[in-house]
Amino acid sequence: MKHLRPHDLAREHGISTQAVRNYERDGFIPLAGRTPSGYRTYTEVHAAALRAYLALVQAHGYATGGEIMRSLNTGDLDAALTAVDRGHAQLLRDRGTLDAVGRAVEHLTRDTGLSARASSDGEPLSIGELARRLGVTAATLRNWEAVGILSPAREPVTGHRSFGATDVRDAELTHLLRRGGYPLEHIRTVVRQIRTAGGTEALSDALDDWRRRLTVRGVSMLDAAARLGGYVALLGIAPAGPRAGAAPAPGPESPPAV
């Protein structure tokens, strides 16, 4: 088996030899062998581990990438795969949220009168005044506040809620989206994104960037999965596949028999 030096592994990725030693110390790559004089020696297994770890960092981040590699290097394949599955599940949830926010923004932009109403700079409204304006109950507005959609100011003496122009806009948006059937958790995301972006037009641009970043993450996960699969094969810790002619393993469309 070909032996590699720390410099060989570092040079492939443009990192320092100290970084390679740190990754070994932290369990992201297996422990190196040692020459009689004490120098580290690595093999293709170590090189594959480093490729897998750096790909995982791009796809899942440092914490999850490290968790996956430490699990593999201690022989716990199931723990590593569970961490990978969590990353894919999070990406799927992010895509679902993005789609929901995108549909909501389209819904908002179709309401031609909303922008004029939501941008009015009148006097702050009490909770009763805002409830009458929207045709909802004060309890509904308090619920929207409780879930994090609205954040009205409080009068310093009485403690009564005071809804300024931005609060009124957010309430208008929420009322419109609730009539459109959107759940409160998605409305909360939309309202927070609009606050950050500065309006629905800016939010549309932000959503395009959000979708691009999710696509980049998805492609990174594909690359990481390929490198991880190669490393698992080198370790020889994967269970044997089904015998020729055996029934395929149960999947989403073929539930196990009971």
Side-chain angles (χ1 to χ4, degrees):
M1 181 178 291
K2 181 181 178 182
H3 291 283
L4 304 169
R5 300 165 299 169
H7 176 72
D8 297 323
L9 270 64
R11 182 176 54 191
E12 179 181 346
H13 303 284
I15 60 178
S16 68
T17 55
Q18 183 59 52
V20 175
R21 290 191 287 268
N22 291 344
Y23 295 155
E24 178 190 345
R25 178 201 63 201
D26 294 335
F28 304 154
I29 65 176
L31 292 175
R34 295 281 183 165
T35 66
S37 55
Y39 290 106
R40 286 177 170 83
T41 61
Y42 297 105
T43 67
E44 183 52 39
V45 172
H46 296 89
L50 183 56
R51 295 183 195 112
Y53 170 66
L54 294 178
L56 286 167
V57 167
Q58 288 295 316
H60 298 272
Y62 285 99
T64 300
E67 177 188 355
I68 293 168
M69 294 305 295
R70 280 192 295 266
S71 296
L72 288 180
N73 293 331
T74 56
D76 195 344
L77 178 59
D78 285 340
L81 294 177
T82 298
V84 172
D85 291 343
R86 284 200 304 268
H88 284 280
Q90 182 62 59
L91 179 61
L92 185 61
R93 287 193 297 271
D94 289 348
R95 287 191 181 281
T97 301
L98 173 65
D99 290 341
V101 173
R103 290 192 300 270
V105 171
E106 290 178 5
H107 195 147
L108 292 174
T109 55
R110 286 198 301 268
D111 190 304
T112 56
L114 177 66
S115 58
R117 295 197 306 273
S119 62
S120 61
D121 293 322
E123 291 295 318
L125 302 179
S126 69
I127 190 169
E129 291 168 334
L130 181 56
R132 286 191 293 273
R133 170 173 173 153
L134 297 179
V136 301
T137 66
T140 295
L141 295 178
R142 285 192 289 268
N143 184 46
W144 294 351
E145 180 183 357
V147 299
I149 294 174
L150 302 180
S151 54
R154 295 277 185 162
E155 295 291 345
V157 176
T158 64
H160 293 164
R161 294 171 176 83
S162 176
F163 295 85
T166 300
D167 304 307
V168 173
R169 179 202 66 190
D170 293 345
E172 293 270 16
L173 297 178
T174 302
H175 190 218
L176 174 64
L177 294 177
R178 285 299 281 166
R179 294 201 309 272
Y182 291 92
L184 289 177
E185 63 184 79
H186 286 156
I187 294 174
R188 181 176 60 227
T189 301
V190 171
V191 170
R192 288 178 177 176
Q193 291 285 346
I194 287 176
R195 288 177 192 156
T196 301
T200 55
E201 183 176 348
L203 178 58
S204 296
D205 294 337
L207 291 178
D208 290 340
D209 182 62
W210 188 3
R211 188 175 301 279
R212 181 192 62 79
R213 286 186 281 115
L214 289 183
T215 299
V216 169
R217 197 199 315 171
V219 172
S220 296
M221 285 182 173
L222 290 177
D223 179 57
R227 295 189 180 276
L228 199 60
Y231 181 53
V232 169
L234 284 174
L235 292 178
I237 61 175
R243 301 183 306 277
E253 311 226 340
S254 56
V258 294

